[in-house]
Amino acid sequence: MTVPTTIDVRDMQPRDRHPRIFAAFDALAPGDAILLVNDHDPKPLFYQFQAERPGQVAWVPQEQGPERWAIRIEKTAAAAADAYPLVLDVREDIAEGREPFQKIMAAVKSLSPAQPLVLVNSFEPVPLYGVLEQQGFAHQAERAADGAWRITFTR
């Protein structure tokens, strides 16, 4: 277990907070942690972790307000299990004109050997197929009723 990396989100745009926290969490090895510093109780983030990373998070409050909250968010050993895909939704990035390639490649790098990546996108990312194929990934694409593309990449 290492000293946690501190992520202070108090000066971040609210829309950038959760993606930044999840990216940092996904890059952790089991047993490592981040120390989240916030200006309010991050209870919605706790519920999001429970929904999106079930069984992978130890949530340990260090400070609880009223002006500063600090939470140790540890990746548990259960996170090493390959049963849960990493879901990355880049539709907001696309809608706001941000290129998500680096975010996608960071997610790919954070995967455990047998863990799948599920990419949710507003269009079919055909050029990405070749890039990830060169890294040993196969893909399966499907278009949802809402028009979004869900592409599952597996090794």
Side-chain angles (χ1 to χ4, degrees):
M1 189 179 316
T2 61
V3 175
T5 300
T6 299
I7 300 176
D8 188 336
V9 298
R10 292 176 289 183
D11 292 329
M12 283 181 154
Q13 290 289 339
R15 71 173 182 261
D16 297 332
R17 292 177 180 187
H18 288 202
R20 167 72 172 93
I21 294 163
F22 273 90
F25 178 82
D26 290 339
L28 294 174
D32 287 345
I34 54 177
L35 181 66
L36 172 66
V37 178
N38 205 346
D39 57 4
H40 64 275
D41 187 356
K43 197 59 114 176
L45 178 67
F46 170 77
Y47 293 123
Q48 186 177 359
F49 266 110
Q50 297 305 304
E52 296 183 17
R53 306 294 187 276
Q56 298 182 33
V57 179
W59 184 272
V60 184
Q62 308 290 301
E63 292 180 50
Q64 294 184 302
E67 294 180 16
R68 175 184 153 109
W69 277 259
I71 309 293
R72 179 184 169 86
I73 304 171
E74 182 178 329
K75 185 178 268 190
T76 65
D82 296 325
Y84 299 105
L86 172 58
V87 179
L88 179 61
D89 188 337
V90 297
R91 291 176 294 180
E92 184 176 316
D93 294 289
I94 299 294
E96 294 184 3
R98 294 189 303 262
E99 169 57 55
F101 183 75
Q102 295 302 323
K103 182 187 261 186
I104 294 167
M105 297 314 290
V108 168
K109 185 176 180 182
S110 76
L111 295 172
S112 61
Q115 184 180 23
L117 169 66
V118 177
L119 178 66
V120 182
N121 202 354
S122 53
F123 61 89
E124 187 176 16
V126 175
L128 185 61
Y129 298 161
V131 171
L132 292 182
E133 185 177 289
Q134 291 178 359
Q135 294 187 30
F137 286 88
H139 71 276
Q140 179 177 0
E142 63 180 310
R143 191 159 196 188
D146 66 358
W149 285 88
R150 292 180 61 87
I151 303 93
T152 302
F153 293 96
T154 55
R155 287 192 174 105

